[in-house]
Amino acid sequence: MRYTPELLIEAYRTMQTIRLFEERCILEFERGNIPGFVHAYNGQEAVAAGVCMHLSDRDVIGSTHRGHGHCIAKGCDVIGMMKEIMGKSTGLCKGKGGSMHIADFDKGMIGANAIVGGAPPLCNGAALTAKTLGTNHVAVSFGGDGSSNQGTTLEALNMAVVLQLPHIFIIENNGYGEGTGADYAVGCESLAERTAGFGMPAVAIDGTDFFAVYEQAKEYIDLARKGGGPSAIEAETVRFDGHFIGDPQLYRGENELDDIKKNRDCIKLFRNRVTAEKWLEAERMDEIDAEVAALIERAVEEGMNAPFPEPADLYADVYKTY
Amino acid sequence: MRYTPELLIEAYRTMQTIRLFEERCILEFERGNIPGFVHAYNGQEAVAAGVCMHLSDRDVIGSTHRGHGHCIAKGCDVIGMMKEIMGKSTGLCKGKGGSMHIADFDKGMIGANAIVGGAPPLCNGAALTAKTLGTNHVAVSFGGDGSSNQGTTLEALNMAVVLQLPHIFIIENNGYGEGTGADYAVGCESLAERTAGFGMPAVAIDGTDFFAVYEQAKEYIDLARKGGGPSAIEAETVRFDGHFIGDPQLYRGENELDDIKKNRDCIKLFRNRVTAEKWLEAERMDEIDAEVAALIERAVEEGMNAPFPEPADLYADVYKTY
Amino acid sequence: MTNTAKQAEATGTSSIKTYRQAINEALFQEMRRDPTVIVLGEEVSGGAGTDGIDDAYGGVFGVTKGLVHEFSRKRVIDTPISESAIIGAAAGAACTGLRPVAELMFFDFIGVSFDQIFNQAAKFRYMFGGKPNTPMVIRATVGAGWRAGPQHSNMLHPVVAHIPGLKVVMPSNAYDAKGLMISAIRDDDPVIFLEYKTLYDSKCEVPDDLYTIPFGEASFTREGSDVTIVAISGMVPRANAVADKLAGEGISCDVIDPRTISPLDVESIIESVEVTGRLVIVDEANERCSLAADISSIVAEQAFHALRAPIRKVTAPHTPVPFSPVLEDLYIPSPERIEQAVRDVLEA
Amino acid sequence: MTNTAKQAEATGTSSIKTYRQAINEALFQEMRRDPTVIVLGEEVSGGAGTDGIDDAYGGVFGVTKGLVHEFSRKRVIDTPISESAIIGAAAGAACTGLRPVAELMFFDFIGVSFDQIFNQAAKFRYMFGGKPNTPMVIRATVGAGWRAGPQHSNMLHPVVAHIPGLKVVMPSNAYDAKGLMISAIRDDDPVIFLEYKTLYDSKCEVPDDLYTIPFGEASFTREGSDVTIVAISGMVPRANAVADKLAGEGISCDVIDPRTISPLDVESIIESVEVTGRLVIVDEANERCSLAADISSIVAEQAFHALRAPIRKVTAPHTPVPFSPVLEDLYIPSPERIEQAVRDVLEA
Ligand SMILES: Cc1ncc(C[n+]2csc(CCOP(=O)(O)OP(=O)(O)O)c2C)c(N)n1
Ligand SMILES: Cc1ncc(C[n+]2csc(CCOP(=O)(O)OP(=O)(O)O)c2C)c(N)n1
Ligand SMILES: [Mg+2]
Ligand SMILES: [Mg+2]
């Protein structure tokens, strides 16, 4: 496949935005500026970026508790996200949702989801809308290895096949569901094969390789747009942080984190490849780093300065009319 | 495999008891002697019989809304069953359960289940008891093709593999879930293969062939008793009656019922085989027919004469203590 | 507002229809009017993937009969037995541009789909900052009396009325059923539409045209000044029968059918109790943390000084629904129990 | 009965323990005593199938910490993320000879496991004619205040208290938590055991030995004669604080902690209201079809003539739980709102 510099820059910017956003969330969480319960996506950037680059605002994604990366890749405003995560009234969801419940319907992002396995049935619905209205839009659900064992996910797979829905299931296998190994919790040898057993094309790819993700996603998304129905990608990836920010990660092996950060950092791997292939210059990427850093800085600053909701907001938006 | 006459007689008696029990239920339902909502098992007798002959009272089965056959094969008293189905106080569940909720814990029958997909998670639990207590008992769940698409069933498959539970999943594929074809509702080509994808041995067999069921069930039950974990059998079978008694069956093809009754009647096939092989004499089977007919007659008679519950029974047995 | 008043709103012809037909007609007419309305669920047509005919069932209670012939399988979608996936598909379709009517068949099946109802669809608008509409209807049948046993006979509406973000509709007659279904389809929030099993064949005059009944407006099915009876769903005809009987003795009852229990027309109930000073609530749900308790507590708080006797609730006992007909009949609030409760509040 | 009275029952040593430690100790001691007790759920040990250590979590709130070391993975079973399968396994194990304690982590996850709870386990005894025991405990955390957002902060106990066949336990302090957990494990019916998130670090004196607290016996955490306050779970400390403050003004309150909401100690509440004539109910659940409504309606029916003012409920509003801390703090009944309600009933 031929990669234009524009595309590579966009990919790099997306991944780096996610990385710096998450690293900053970790910092601001530790500083007490972010309340609650946050699950960082750093390490998995190539998956969100490689998939979402094929999607327009009219295509829909559904996400997970670990949703910041999907939001950013789908085009959500990072400043609005940071405000949301800080519980501010000008956040993307007016501070009502927080980290685990970010959505931006204008961008086709129909929600992070704090219920493991929550999104796949919903994305069937979005795909059903596309099919019923005869658009060529698609839906993409993201879910982890852990979520693959949830009945809602498994039901959704079969339903997508039966109704031939344009829905691509992305299974991000980062090896863990909380502190439980995927090797333990997933009884079969291969999630891709188990999924293929439902009657849809499904493959496992290296999820730390942006190019592998990008190319496989393109194939399946194109297929869905053409009426070819659902498919699934198991992206083998790594999580750089704990299950949640603050997790002591006692389930990690010795040197595991050092090792994956050294050898399986999707952004490093991307930089290495594009510089080795001479597709992009390191300086150009450094420039982007600086731009992204400035954006994140601004997001935090605006986030900190943004107002909290008013008491009356507690009662707003339960219903349209009641 | 060598089949003793005793075994064959037991098999034949079980199948014929189910057959005549169901035919009589249909009649008594039409006569208004059975209230409610009854799903007959006739046509599928070889599955219940072929599986349950390997089980003792300490082994556990969990069943479905179409549970009469499993109950009979597991040794439940047919008179107690008929009373239950008629809503009588001396029924197996004191008239509280009815057709869709027959259980007999003394016989290891932990319940018919009116919720499609209800039993597989429960049978994992029974298998967990066996594993935890170190007995060599097994659990068997019965479910239909339709139930295989329910999230609870799918979750239970994975959990059984993860915990290596002695649980045999029997999928009775009778081609229909209510009036929907299994070809439509099951997205994949083969339920056995989809199930195998979860990481357990699974095969499809001809469920109208008692001998095929018996032999495959033996293999998997033995495996489970020896600590070999879960497995699954897709038994391809046929339903002779409607989804429920009274169903107009508009979803059937022309001549479909005639055809399956002529060519895929598991009891006929059994008789043909055992007489052709000269394993049993037709007269011996005719004798059994008469014995079974007398038993069913007695069940209906005693059922009709049995008392209904007393008003105070409404409040009994919600809790052990409250 | 009384039914008579409401009926005046609908113009044109009308005829006697069953509850089943009324809902069916509402679905037909709304699907004609709005191409984004779809119907999905198990057996909503029936016969998919078989050698028999389409529309083999048209819903297990026949409520969606015929739709597939006019609107095709594209808009009348039979599904696998996967209730979470059914409700999820409806919710996901609703927030992206369709108006799905999902059938859950028996409301007892919320057990295998509850997350998609209460944690997803119900919360979208609030947790996503007010942005999405989620115009979906979940249809299901409720109630005992059908000899369907413990797992197919529950009411369970208190469980969903408890949940912020859901609206809950419980029509007690064919007229209301049609108008409320049309309102439910047009509503931009998730609506739970509960059909009482043994009412399907009940009949009344129903306009042929489209008409809506607003949510949160109770109907006074009987008017009187001695006692207020609030009755829910299948209990309304029973309450009416009791009121008619007592009228013969000179005891006059307001019978109030809230029609929607979320929102609830508190005002009408309070107004009536301010006059009668006595309240009986009849609801087939189990008694603990129930709608009957809810209404009782609201009235006891807001009309405290008007109450001349303790409020009486006539509900199912704290037991599952038994199969045996003799027990099931005792389980459901009977006219005798309702009548006794009315006499009790009059004597207290 | 007061806590002092109850404490007298337990002999031997005691020490200050947190709510978390108290439950943990109950699990340890019961697992030692009875080899059929097992614990299962997600991360109850943690670290399964990893290169790290066993017991990496010991439950996400640390409540099951250490169990795996003493009882091994045979009896402390980490599971996949499959809540229906977890509850189903517990129910199936319970009716065949074990006493499982299943962890649902956040009670919000009943959405993906509700059928196995309400339609299966809860109904076994009744629908199977009284034969099976189903001695299982479902542990889960409830409540807001943890900034966990709309899908991890609900109470939802009214939903399960509504269901016949379930018992529902909601301890408000470490002492009760231990005794109630031991009773729950020994109970032959399914018990829902709800732990209030922000109480895990609260402490009090807890006996080191095994002791039980019977279900259906409320505890009077404060005694008084002007107003009765019934408070549930995490609301008990708040009600106590308000009672203590008002005591300084000469207003004396009975504060009643039902401890188990199904069964509910109606008698104690009625007795108190017969004296005070005034009732405030404090519960964090949403208001519609709630436990607060339930208690209100029972009291208004049974103690009608004793009531000198309308009963006041202090509950969460009819909204999901918002994430933003400023809104979440408004969502939970505050000491100020409780105090105001007490003053209101005194003035009415
Ligand atoms: C239904 C449900 N069960 C359990 C949880 C608690 N929980 C949150 S994230 C998580 C692990 C998810 O693992 P995976 O799907 O692999 O995603 P990852 O965290 O690795 O991104 C669990 C168990 C939940 N939020 N929802
Ligand atoms: C959770 C749930 N969904 C739907 C139903 C209604 N229902 C009862 S039986 C049935 C069909 C089941 O099909 P299958 O599993 O193939 O069993 P069969 O009837 O063929 O024996 C359906 C949809 C139910 N009882 N429970
Ligand atoms: Mg993971
Ligand atoms: Mg079938």
Side-chain angles (χ1 to χ4, degrees), chain B residues 55-62 74 108-110 123 126 138-140, chain D residues 96:
Chain B
L55 304 178
S56 79
D57 287 353
R58 304 297 301 279
D59 296 312
V60 164
I61 69 166
K74 195 66 173 47
M109 164 62 196
I110 65 165
C123 286
V138 302
V140 174
Chain D
T96 55

Side-chain angles (χ1 to χ4, degrees), chain A residues 191-209:
Chain A
L191 270 176
E193 278 174 34
R194 184 171 90 185
T195 308
F198 282 81
M200 64 174 76
V203 289
I205 59 166
D206 178 356
T208 64
D209 176 354

Side-chain angles (χ1 to χ4, degrees), chain C residues 147-160:
Chain C
R147 287 68 173 106
Q151 293 177 325
H152 277 61
S153 307
N154 276 109
M155 294 297 297
L156 293 168
H157 54 278
V159 169
V160 274

Side-chain angles (χ1 to χ4, degrees), chain D residues 93-163:
Chain D
C95 67
T96 55
L98 300 184
R99 291 188 174 270
V101 180
E103 175 169 327
L104 199 49
M105 204 185 282
F106 291 78
F107 198 48
D108 310 69
F109 307 161
I110 58 166
V112 286
S113 56
F114 193 37
D115 185 73
Q116 292 288 333
I117 299 173
F118 98 92
N119 241 345
Q120 310 293 342
K123 291 179 179 165
F124 282 174
R125 185 183 301 282
Y126 192 81
M127 74 181 171
F128 298 148
K131 253 194 194 169
N133 288 332
T134 308
M136 65 190 278
V137 182
I138 300 176
R139 288 185 44 241
T141 192
V142 291
W146 216 57
R147 287 70 173 104
Q151 294 176 325
H152 276 63
S153 308
N154 276 108
M155 294 297 297
L156 294 167
H157 54 277
V159 169
V160 276
H162 178 65
I163 305 295

Side-chain angles (χ1 to χ4, degrees), chain A residues 105 320, chain C residues 91 94-96 99 124-125 130-135 188-190:
Chain A
F105 281 71
K320 179 140 169 205
Chain C
C95 68
T96 56
R99 290 190 174 270
F124 282 174
R125 184 184 301 282
K131 255 194 195 168
N133 288 333
T134 307
D188 281 334
D189 290 307

Side-chain angles (χ1 to χ4, degrees), chain B residues 140-183:
Chain B
V140 174
S141 60
F142 292 91
D145 46 286
S147 80
S148 73
N149 302 319
Q150 178 64 252
T152 54
T153 304
L154 294 160
E155 282 190 359
L157 291 172
N158 182 59
M159 176 93 77
V161 174
V162 170
L163 303 182
Q164 282 297 296
L165 299 174
H167 178 177
I168 299 91
F169 295 79
I170 308 292
I171 309 168
E172 297 188 67
N173 186 346
N174 60 11
Y176 295 97
E178 303 212 348
T180 298
D183 289 347

Side-chain angles (χ1 to χ4, degrees), chain C residues 93-168:
Chain C
C95 68
T96 56
L98 300 183
R99 290 190 174 270
V101 180
E103 173 168 327
L104 200 50
M105 203 183 285
F106 291 79
F107 199 49
D108 311 70
F109 307 162
I110 58 165
V112 285
S113 56
F114 193 37
D115 185 72
Q116 293 287 333
I117 299 173
F118 98 93
N119 241 346
Q120 311 292 343
K123 291 180 179 166
F124 282 174
R125 184 184 301 282
Y126 192 80
M127 74 181 170
F128 298 148
K131 255 194 195 168
N133 288 333
T134 307
M136 63 189 280
V137 182
I138 300 175
R139 288 184 46 239
T141 191
V142 292
W146 216 58
R147 287 68 173 106
Q151 293 177 325
H152 277 61
S153 307
N154 276 109
M155 294 297 297
L156 293 168
H157 54 278
V159 169
V160 274
H162 177 63
I163 305 295
L166 299 177
K167 294 172 179 168
V168 185

